[in-house]
Amino acid sequence: MSSPVLAVDFGTSNSAAALLQDGCVRRLRIEGEGETLPTAVFFPERGPMLIGEAATTALIEGEEGRFMRALKSVLGTPLLHESRLIGGKRRTLAEVITAFLAALRERAEAETGLTFQRVLSGRPVHFHSLDVARDAKAEADLRACYHDAGFSDVTFLPEPEAAAFASQGASGETGLIVDIGGGTSDFTLFRRGAAGAEVQASHGIRLGGTDFDHAISLALVMPEMGLGGELKRTLGEGRLPVPRAIYADLSTWALIPFLYTAEVRRQVADLLRHAVEPEKIGRLATVIRDELGHDIAFAVERGKIEANKGTGGAVDLGLVEPGLRIPVSVGQMTAALNAQREGLRAAMYETLMQAGTSPAQVDHVILVGGSSLMRMVRDEVQAVCPTARVSQAEAFTAVVDGLALASEARINA
């Protein structure tokens, strides 16, 4: 009897695991009773690494240590292999991802009583848009992390293709998977035949929920901390614009932990000395001093979710300054995400073009991934495929379901 295959959806924001058992998908409880695990880690100053909800709780409760999220986004980049002081010892982000995957494997084995040496992992169609070499490097990086986590046999399947295998519909129809995750947007055009989903084309771009958060933060939140402001010159007349780099990093989940250095604190202190609006730069100084970057990122995410309901929301920055709340209206969010909307629309058209299919030929669009819950995603889908019916799959588990269904045939191919 062949050894069991673990299906793993290693996501930017959430991860899941499943296996095919007696012909049926069995999702594994890898977070208490939950079937999804936040892709987050926390290294306390003392004690072992925490993952998932425990990592987030440690951050929220103010425990001293290093919180990290959106680890998948650094695959294929030099940052993955840079050694940094994390949790009291020097580590690379590759080692952090390996530790996360090893913990996920251990939880899956504890849940099932099985030993997993083979894994079928989801991957975006493209880790990095329009960069073939970096895309290949990202897959090689992730493969190495799986091997180091204890898997001897590692196979990959594009995430939207997995979701197509798990989708339901009538025979003969043409379907389009729109999978909007935390870090990438992926699309698969398929036709449903007698043997199931027959993939016609797949396409993907490096754009996801963390990019939505990044755009909203830069447009609405960072200006309240000095972005877009001016600095007085030390010598001479005239003014200089406030540099953008710190704000860009502060709005990027994966880069936030690397802002808490003596060098960045010196840079912010210099900005404060020359600020035309010192009260705003003072807020930035508070964020860096008290290491509140992730608190802001979570607040932006919550504000986005509230605004997505259609009644507007707010980013609560009371930790930075008592009573500070930044309203987020539907109109403001729409304006902030205009470039992202255009990117999604172009990517859907590109997928259809690759398949030689017109929008009118698409019968069914299936939305997958946590960020597919954004109203703008459905709006863009309906703009591109106005005659198709649109349905929402299981946002966080459709991919892992499809991976489990494909696992035996794919890994033995």
Side-chain angles (χ1 to χ4, degrees), residues 120-142:
L120 175 61
S121 174
R123 58 150 289 170
V125 176
H126 299 299
F127 287 93
H128 298 276
S129 306
L130 306 178
D131 191 332
V132 175
R134 180 169 284 188
D135 190 64
K137 181 67 168 61
E139 182 178 294
D141 285 339
L142 185 54

Side-chain angles (χ1 to χ4, degrees), residues 4-90:
V5 179
L6 184 66
V8 174
D9 178 14
F10 173 58
T12 301
S13 300
N14 294 280
S15 295
L19 76 158
L20 195 64
Q21 203 165 58
D22 298 325
C24 298
V25 174
R26 176 185 173 186
R27 298 178 194 157
L28 304 184
R29 294 174 294 181
I30 53 174
E31 178 67 289
E33 293 300 310
E35 296 174 342
T36 60
L37 172 70
T39 311
V41 301
F42 186 87
F43 289 92
E45 290 193 348
R46 293 183 179 83
M49 177 188 77
L50 305 175
I51 68 170
E53 293 291 353
T56 304
T57 298
L59 173 72
I60 293 172
E61 293 183 350
E63 186 174 342
E64 293 295 327
R66 178 70 63 86
F67 178 84
M68 309 181 86
R69 191 184 182 200
L71 297 165
K72 187 177 178 180
S73 65
V74 301
L75 291 167
T77 72
L79 181 62
L80 183 74
H81 300 289
E82 291 180 6
S83 178
R84 297 174 181 268
L85 189 63
I86 302 172
K89 63 176 288 189
R90 298 202 70 82

Side-chain angles (χ1 to χ4, degrees), residues 97-273:
I97 291 174
T98 294
F100 179 88
L101 293 175
L104 185 153
R105 175 174 174 257
E106 289 168 3
R107 292 187 179 192
E109 291 180 341
E111 168 72 5
T112 62
L114 300 171
T115 297
F116 293 106
Q117 295 182 330
R118 303 198 295 168
V119 62
L120 175 61
S121 174
R123 58 150 289 170
V125 176
H126 299 299
F127 287 93
H128 298 276
S129 306
L130 306 178
D131 191 332
V132 175
R134 180 169 284 188
D135 190 64
K137 181 67 168 61
E139 182 178 294
D141 285 339
L142 185 54
R143 184 184 302 277
C145 289
Y146 272 114
H147 281 308
D148 291 343
F151 294 99
S152 58
D153 193 340
V154 182
T155 308
F156 292 101
L157 179 65
E159 290 152 4
E161 295 182 16
F165 297 145
S167 66
Q168 301 294 316
S171 178
E173 75 174 7
T174 297
L176 176 64
I177 297 291
V178 176
D179 180 5
I180 316 297
T184 58
S185 294
D186 294 292
F187 311 87
T188 286
L189 194 288
F190 68 95
R191 292 194 176 93
R192 201 176 302 281
E198 300 169 356
V199 173
Q200 305 298 305
S202 293
H203 179 57
I205 56 175
R206 190 177 170 89
L207 176 70
T210 56
D211 300 287
F212 302 160
D213 295 347
H214 177 79
I216 292 168
S217 185
L218 284 177
L220 303 179
V221 176
M222 294 302 147
E224 296 300 321
M225 298 184 193
L227 179 62
E230 295 181 316
L231 303 173
K232 294 174 284 188
R233 292 179 181 272
T234 302
L235 299 172
E237 300 296 325
R239 293 176 177 175
L240 298 170
V242 172
R244 183 183 177 87
I246 290 176
Y247 299 98
D249 288 357
L250 191 58
S251 302
T252 305
W253 278 100
L255 299 181
I256 290 171
F258 307 116
L259 286 170
Y260 307 138
T261 66
E263 174 60 25
V264 172
R265 288 193 291 272
R266 284 194 294 270
Q267 291 177 18
V268 173
D270 186 60
L271 294 178
L272 186 56
R273 283 193 296 270

